[in-house]
Amino acid sequence: MSLDLAPDTPATANNPATATTPSPAGDARAPLTPNALRTVVRELAERPEQWIHHVRLSTEERWYRRLAADEDHEVWLISWLPGQSTGFHDHGGSRGAFTVALGELEELSLGGPEQGLLIRRIPSGTARAFGPDYVHDVRNTASGPAVTLHAYSPPLSSMAHYELRAGGLVRTSEEGPDQW
Ligand SMILES: [Fe+2]
């Protein structure tokens, strides 16, 4: 994926999305839980004044901006034009959550052997949260653009891409932050 890390990325000091989980002095910080990350994106979605002015749309591919980052987690803003999608991917062992702030998306994931391919409609106001092994494909199948807010903990260090074949998901490539 490509990222737009323009210099006007907001300072994080007053951004609630950067709030960290208190931990006892001396303890290594544990990653935020999926539920905590869900709370981060939900609360941020309720404060559009903190991100709406950053939204751009790109006909080339999904548009990205990192809104905040610290050692615990990071927060991304993504826009999706109709037809734009991620393809199946993991999150390099990070836990994550995202919410649709505007528009509507569809999420594909593989359930158990009895379930096969799961397709979820994710309307505006809906949040999804997932653990470190989650693989999904997110796409805008609606007729209008969508805007989403994402949080990952620890911050993304790599992402692998997969193809869905007859036998299941097959890992095809991996990318790291230098490609974002
Ligand atoms: Fe994802």
Side-chain angles (χ1 to χ4, degrees), residues 1-48:
M1 64 184 184
S2 67
L3 300 180
D4 181 350
L5 298 177
D8 65 342
T9 296
T12 60
N14 298 317
N15 190 333
T18 66
T20 57
T21 300
S23 60
D27 281 2
R29 283 181 170 175
L32 274 66
T33 65
N35 275 341
L37 293 166
R38 190 201 321 258
T39 298
V40 168
V41 295
R42 278 198 158 141
E43 291 184 352
L44 189 57
E46 291 169 1
R47 297 182 174 87

Side-chain angles (χ1 to χ4, degrees), residues 18 43 56 123 139 153-155 162:
T18 66
E43 291 184 352
R56 304 287 183 273
R139 48 182 64 183
S153 181
Y162 299 79

Side-chain angles (χ1 to χ4, degrees), residues 155-172:
L156 289 172
S157 58
S158 67
M159 291 178 62
H161 293 270
Y162 299 79
E163 280 184 12
L164 182 58
R165 297 180 184 163
L169 290 169
V170 177
R171 187 181 176 116
T172 54

Side-chain angles (χ1 to χ4, degrees), residues 133-156:
D133 300 321
Y134 195 57
V135 175
H136 63 168
D137 178 5
V138 184
R139 48 182 64 183
N140 183 357
T141 55
S143 57
V147 174
T148 50
L149 294 156
H150 303 243
Y152 303 101
S153 181
L156 289 172

Side-chain angles (χ1 to χ4, degrees), residues 13-14 20 24 31 33-34 50 60 65 79-80 85 97 99 112 122 124 126 142 152 174 176:
N14 298 317
T20 57
T33 65
Q50 295 197 0
E60 307 263 316
R65 173 164 295 187
S79 72
W80 315 63
S85 66
T99 188
I122 312 178
S124 176
T126 305
Y152 303 101
E174 182 171 327

Side-chain angles (χ1 to χ4, degrees), residues 66 69-74 76 91-92 94 152-158 180:
R66 185 162 53 192
D70 64 18
E71 62 188 39
D72 285 329
H73 72 296
E74 62 184 356
W76 291 85
H91 308 87
S94 293
Y152 303 101
S153 181
L156 289 172
S157 58
S158 67
W180 303 339

